């Protein structure tokens, strides 16, 4: 039997408590998502909480990496964010290991490769439409994607060597792709109705979300989305990259 593909999930945040209680941390959520998508491909997932933690996996002992979302700002200069950015740059450019980025992870990848990341003008929440570029259509085999969103920060430029996979009204760069090096998405393929509903409620109760934004997001939280398709494409990308 062939050796399993070793995937390190770099956990860039901890979910809110109701999500942890039911589904676990982001590493567990992504492990289930990727395992279900892997089919006959055998994967081995390790989990690394990198928030304030200087301990990272040895790149030579990992086949691929996945960076999760986060409530933190990818453009901030907190020491752990700077360390993470340099680590990711080294993985991509020196070790040439494939990296998957999701939301905050997408933004960290862009920052590591020199692109501008910052605060957008409006929130994008719940299941919404992404218009794919020609490159995005080729990568995903569709004209549009519908995915859960939970962000206001954006990537504003496509880094050298990458292509932009899609866009939406609030967000000019919804995904990045570099063959055998990286694939990223601003949205959350790992989210489901339970996660989205709880995040919307928590942010509404805290005053961060207006009644209008909360109600709009809640009305779309249960819509069908392409999260499983994205997970299968992530696995395909990793398999192609390590072959």
């Amino acid at each position: 039997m062939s050796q399993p593909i070793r995937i390190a999930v770099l956990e860039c945040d901890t979910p809110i408590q109701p999500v942890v209680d039911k589904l676990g941390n982001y590493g567990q959520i992504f492990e289930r998502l990727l395992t279900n998508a892997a089919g006959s491909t055998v994967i081995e997932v390790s989990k690394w909480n990198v928030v304030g933690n200087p301990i990272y996996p040895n790149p030579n002992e990992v086949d691929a990496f996945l960076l999760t979302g986060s409530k933190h700002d990818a453009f901030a200069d907190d020491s752990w964010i700077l360390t993470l950015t340099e680590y990711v740059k080294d993985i991509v450019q020196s070790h040439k290991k494939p990296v998957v980025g999701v939301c905050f992870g997408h933004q960290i990848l862009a920052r590591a490769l020199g692109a501008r990341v910052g605060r957008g003008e409006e929130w994008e929440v719940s299941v919404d439409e992404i218009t794919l570029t020609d490159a995005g259509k080729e990568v995903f085999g569709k004209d549009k994607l519908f995915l859960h969103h939970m962000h206001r920060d954006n990537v504003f430029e496509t880094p050298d060597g990458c292509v932009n996979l899609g866009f939406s009204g609030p967000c000019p760069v919804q995904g990045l792709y570099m063959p055998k090096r990286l694939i990223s998405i601003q949205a959350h393929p790992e989210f489901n109705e339970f996660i989205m509903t709880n995040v919307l409620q928590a942010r509404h109760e805290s005053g961060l979300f207006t009644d209008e934004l909360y109600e709009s997001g809640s009305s779309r939280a249960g819509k069908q989305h392409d999260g499983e398709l994205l997970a299968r494409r992530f696995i395909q990308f990793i398999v192609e990259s390590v072959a």
Side-chain angles (χ1 to χ4, degrees), residues 90-155:
D90 183 61
I91 290 170
V92 175
Q93 295 186 343
S94 298
H95 291 276
K96 303 188 186 307
K97 295 293 180 79
V99 183
V100 177
V102 173
C103 196
F104 174 89
H106 159 72
Q107 297 164 12
I108 288 291
L109 268 169
R111 180 178 181 178
L113 298 180
R116 183 168 65 92
V117 178
R119 183 83 77 225
E121 294 184 1
E122 59 183 284
W123 283 94
E124 209 170 5
V125 304
S126 205
V127 178
D128 215 342
E129 179 181 305
I130 297 171
T131 300
L132 295 176
T133 62
D134 288 342
K137 293 173 185 177
E138 184 174 348
V139 167
F140 296 116
K142 299 184 69 173
D143 291 338
K144 296 179 182 295
L145 291 176
F146 289 87
L147 290 166
H148 280 289
H149 297 258
M150 183 53 66
H151 74 104
R152 184 171 49 175
D153 298 346
N154 289 327
V155 175

Side-chain angles (χ1 to χ4, degrees), residues 29-30 33-34 66-67 69 100-103 130 140 145-149 184-192 195 225-232 234:
I29 292 170
F30 273 105
L33 181 72
L34 295 174
L66 185 147
L67 284 76
V100 177
V102 173
C103 196
I130 297 171
F140 296 116
L145 291 176
F146 289 87
L147 290 166
H148 280 289
H149 297 258
S184 68
I185 197 79
Q186 178 59 66
H188 284 276
E190 81 283 12
F191 274 26
N192 57 24
I195 296 174
H225 63 90
D226 293 309
E228 292 181 0
L229 182 151
L230 264 290
R232 291 193 299 271
F234 289 164

Side-chain angles (χ1 to χ4, degrees), residues 40 83 87 146 199 218:
S40 60
T83 299
Y87 180 79
F146 289 87
V199 174
S218 297

Side-chain angles (χ1 to χ4, degrees), residues 113 158-164 176-178 182:
L113 298 180
T158 303
D160 290 343
C162 298
V163 293
N164 180 11
L176 297 170
Y177 182 66
M178 182 189 298
L182 65 90

